[in-house]
Amino acid sequence: MDSALSDPHNGSVEAGGPTNGTTRPPSTPEGIALAYGSLLLMALLPIFFGALRSVRCARGKNASDMPETITSRDAARFPIIASCTLLGLYLFFKIFSQEYINLLLSMYFFVLGILALSHTISPFMNKFFPANFPNRQYQLLFTQGSGENKEEIINYEFDTKDLVCLGLSSIVGVWYLLRKHWIANNLFGLAFSLNGVELLHLNNVSTGCILLGGLFIYDIFWVFGTNVMVTVAKSFEAPIKLVFPQDLLEKGLEADNFAMLGLGDIVIPGIFIALLLRFDISLKKNTHTYFYTSFAAYIFGLGLTIFIMHIFKHAQPALLYLVPACIGFPVLVALAKGEVTEMFSYEESNPKDPAAVTESKEGTEASPSKGLEKKEK
């Protein structure tokens, strides 16, 4: 999992670029400010809209949109799995040809990116279809066994509008596959981030603290302790990071001096912020105090990361600053309001468990979500 904020320092040799000792011209202050500001904005969009969509996702009955619930056991194992994956990728890049590895990864993320982008734009595109659009329903169903032993493997429902969105997303996919353009990369990266925040649900705040705490240590070790994460981030030609050129003002869309932000720095805090939004709704107080507090904490944490990176001219583990902010600020608010017990006792059931759906529905039918849903519209 790529989870570092990185900046090719002014005057440094281009990563993966010429090896004849040529250096980049220094980035202008305006270009640096534009790059950092754009990364911050791009990080906020999937968190905000993904959190809103996670509320409707928790209510939904469509099996294809059911969220995956992360338990405390999953959270405890995740940093270990992420570390093994990261180290494995690093060794692969050291042993095998980077060109062939990236070719395989490009094809893999080409397919995933199209599906993720299609799912992301579908709700927005539905508003542009005329009322008389011939929309037909389809279902993709794969089962295993027969009779009473029949088990569903895949049950995906879609319609003609979804197929149109899939076609539009395929155009972006071909663009990314042929050009590896940074805009196509960011479209896929934003789609992955929004889908992650929407569809990955923490079952309670304690699980969120375990996950963020474990990845806090993971991020510090792999960024400060080794060069593994930065090396993988710069070698890995896949939309696992958001990038923005610092020389955009000089070179336009063909700019190539990028600052980057790993998707892990968006999705991991994002699913915690989305959990706090659902907790706000469960309180039925017509406020979203914890959501806005954690959202502001994320802005503060990422802004501090960018500031520290700019001062020290070194890639920073963003979770070093994001985790204390995203956990600390809401907990302080809960202490001030006397709601710490309610916060840590809030529990979300797995929506895929039929016996546990009732409580989730009751919690999400409250009116406070309406105000936020209007903003998304």
Side-chain angles (χ1 to χ4, degrees), residues 6-12 23-36 244-251 255-259 309-310 313:
S6 179
D7 168 26
H9 314 323
N10 293 343
S12 64
T23 59
R24 296 179 184 276
S27 299
T28 63
E30 295 82 4
I32 294 174
L34 178 62
Y36 290 160
F244 199 91
Q246 299 184 33
D247 53 348
L248 179 68
L249 299 178
E250 291 78 27
K251 296 185 178 180
D256 57 1
N257 183 17
F258 296 105
M309 185 188 67
H310 183 64
K313 304 298 181 184

Side-chain angles (χ1 to χ4, degrees), residues 98-236:
Q98 180 176 321
E99 179 182 356
Y100 294 115
I101 296 173
N102 279 320
L103 179 60
L104 292 174
L105 292 173
S106 295
M107 295 302 299
Y108 176 68
F109 281 98
F110 166 75
V111 176
L112 288 184
I114 289 175
L115 295 175
L117 186 58
S118 176
H119 182 264
T120 299
I121 67 174
S122 181
F124 302 102
M125 290 299 298
N126 285 340
K127 301 174 184 178
F128 297 98
F129 288 103
N132 59 350
F133 183 81
N135 194 35
R136 295 184 178 181
Q137 300 294 322
Y138 304 93
Q139 183 178 23
L140 184 64
L141 179 63
F142 285 95
T143 60
Q144 177 179 297
S146 59
E148 296 180 356
N149 297 323
K150 182 179 290 186
E151 179 182 359
E152 287 186 2
I153 305 300
I154 297 177
N155 185 0
Y156 189 79
E157 298 176 1
F158 57 98
D159 55 28
T160 308
K161 294 179 181 179
D162 293 325
L163 293 178
V164 173
C165 293
L166 191 66
L168 294 174
S169 301
S170 299
I171 297 174
V172 178
V174 173
W175 181 26
Y176 170 77
L177 196 62
L178 297 179
R179 296 290 306 276
K180 295 293 191 302
H181 198 276
W182 60 273
I183 294 179
N185 173 90
N186 287 347
L187 288 174
F188 277 170
L190 289 169
F192 285 138
S193 300
L194 190 145
N195 278 274
V197 175
E198 176 187 359
L199 300 174
L200 293 176
H201 288 197
L202 296 164
N203 65 347
N204 55 49
V205 173
S206 296
T207 298
C209 292
I210 293 171
L211 179 65
L212 267 67
L215 291 175
F216 173 82
I217 299 172
Y218 158 93
D219 218 17
I220 294 173
F221 174 77
W222 289 113
V223 174
F224 285 149
T226 72
N227 68 338
V228 170
M229 185 177 290
V230 175
T231 300
V232 170
K234 292 182 176 180
S235 304
F236 201 84

Side-chain angles (χ1 to χ4, degrees), residues 264-317:
D265 297 326
I266 302 173
V267 176
I268 299 303
I271 61 177
F272 186 75
I273 294 170
L275 172 68
L276 293 179
L277 172 60
R278 299 191 297 274
F279 169 63
D280 273 324
I281 294 173
S282 74
L283 294 176
K284 302 180 181 180
K285 292 185 178 180
N286 200 31
T287 61
H288 302 94
T289 305
Y290 295 103
F291 171 67
Y292 288 127
T293 299
S294 57
F295 194 74
Y298 182 86
I299 297 174
F300 170 79
L302 191 56
L304 181 60
T305 307
I306 293 172
F307 174 76
I308 297 295
M309 185 188 67
H310 183 64
I311 295 298
F312 291 97
K313 304 298 181 184
H314 189 278
Q316 295 294 312

Side-chain angles (χ1 to χ4, degrees), residues 70-78 207 210:
I70 300 174
T71 64
S72 57
R73 178 178 295 182
D74 299 327
R77 291 185 298 190
F78 192 80
T207 298
I210 293 171

